[in-house]
Amino acid sequence: MVKKMQRRPRRDESLSREQIIEAAIELLDSGGEPGLTFRNLSERLATGPGAIYGHVANKNDLLEAACSAVIGPGVNSQAKDMPPKAAIRALALMMFDAMDAHPWIGSALAWAAGKSTMVSVLERIGQQVHALGVAPEKHWVTVSVLLNYVLGVGGQNAANAQAARAREAERDEFLSTVADAWLQLDPDRYPFTRSIATQMRVHDDRADFLVGIDLILAGIESAGTARPQ
């Protein structure tokens, strides 16, 4: 006798764009971008692909919508009366935390330069760079440095955390293993690496990220491209 495959019952209620985006975020969180397929989404929502295509055009549209749902409110809620440096730090930290919670955001944003969410991030940072008094001819490079730092370091931190989880390793255990390996290096060839091994063991990724933002902001001031705050 041929055994029939069990299928998830189809949903009776109508499907909304918000429900699709929420399910997409769940798939992205559990399986990254490769896990977000319309087949997986259809199974999760107990519906057919046609019902989904009625709300989103394609996977890129879905990724943009997912990014907007996760970081859009944070980008748009930054206080306009906040001093420029504080606003940049707050926006950067919000994005760092979002990428830590949703590791797929960094790469999704990097490939969405022309999409509304990424443009909103660019605009928010750019307004604060302008408010710092950076000369117009330095706007592009200054914003690029800040944006690349946020996406690069935030994305790498998220990737590291994901890799550790995949190996079922605790962060403290992993850092201790690396620190111990550094301490075993040849002191003549690797004097600096050995000297920071104990710092590496106990460092705070979030705090280090903010130090980097502050170094960039200090560099902007010291280069004479911005007014002191």
Side-chain angles (χ1 to χ4, degrees):
M1 181 180 294
V2 178
K3 191 173 182 179
K4 293 183 178 180
M5 294 180 62
Q6 291 185 346
R7 295 184 178 180
R8 183 178 295 185
R10 291 295 180 95
R11 62 189 307 123
D12 295 326
E13 71 275 13
S14 60
L15 193 64
S16 69
R17 180 176 170 87
E18 289 71 24
Q19 289 173 316
I20 294 172
I21 294 170
E22 182 180 352
I25 292 172
E26 292 172 356
L27 287 173
L28 286 163
D29 286 347
S30 60
E33 287 190 38
L36 180 60
T37 66
F38 276 77
R39 179 177 180 178
N40 290 342
L41 197 56
S42 297
E43 292 178 355
R44 181 171 289 261
L45 292 168
T47 189
I52 298 174
Y53 279 114
H55 295 279
V56 293
N58 48 46
K59 183 174 178 177
N60 288 336
D61 181 29
L62 197 51
L63 276 170
E64 160 64 14
C67 285
S68 179
V70 172
I71 70 170
V75 174
N76 297 324
S77 67
Q78 296 299 315
K80 293 184 178 180
D81 58 349
M82 189 179 292
K85 280 187 178 181
I88 289 173
R89 291 177 94 256
L91 177 62
L93 191 58
M94 181 278 295
M95 292 185 65
F96 180 89
D97 289 340
M99 284 184 277
D100 188 49
H102 308 278
W104 49 271
I105 286 181
S107 61
L109 284 175
W111 286 100
K115 301 296 184 179
S116 61
T117 304
M118 190 60 183
V119 172
S120 295
V121 174
L122 175 68
E123 179 66 24
R124 185 64 68 188
I125 294 177
Q127 288 179 7
Q128 303 309 322
V129 165
H130 176 73
L132 280 172
V134 174
E137 64 271 17
K138 298 291 186 181
H139 281 177
W140 167 254
V141 67
T142 305
V143 171
S144 295
V145 168
L146 282 164
L147 196 53
N148 287 332
Y149 176 83
V150 170
L151 293 179
V153 176
Q156 187 60 56
N157 174 76
N160 291 343
Q162 209 170 24
R165 285 192 293 268
R167 294 182 176 88
E168 298 182 349
E170 293 292 334
R171 179 181 183 276
D172 291 345
E173 178 184 351
F174 172 75
L175 293 180
S176 291
T177 300
V178 175
D180 289 342
W182 285 4
L183 288 170
Q184 299 304 314
L185 294 171
D186 185 336
D188 293 326
R189 293 185 62 188
Y190 304 100
F192 179 79
T193 302
R194 284 170 52 88
S195 72
I196 62 171
T198 55
Q199 296 176 38
M200 195 275 186
R201 192 193 304 272
V202 298
H203 81 278
D204 184 298
D205 295 315
R206 197 169 185 262
D208 290 351
F209 173 79
L210 280 178
V211 170
I213 291 292
D214 289 338
L215 285 172
I216 294 173
L217 293 173
I220 293 171
E221 283 188 356
S222 65
T225 57
R227 296 186 300 267
Q229 297 293 309

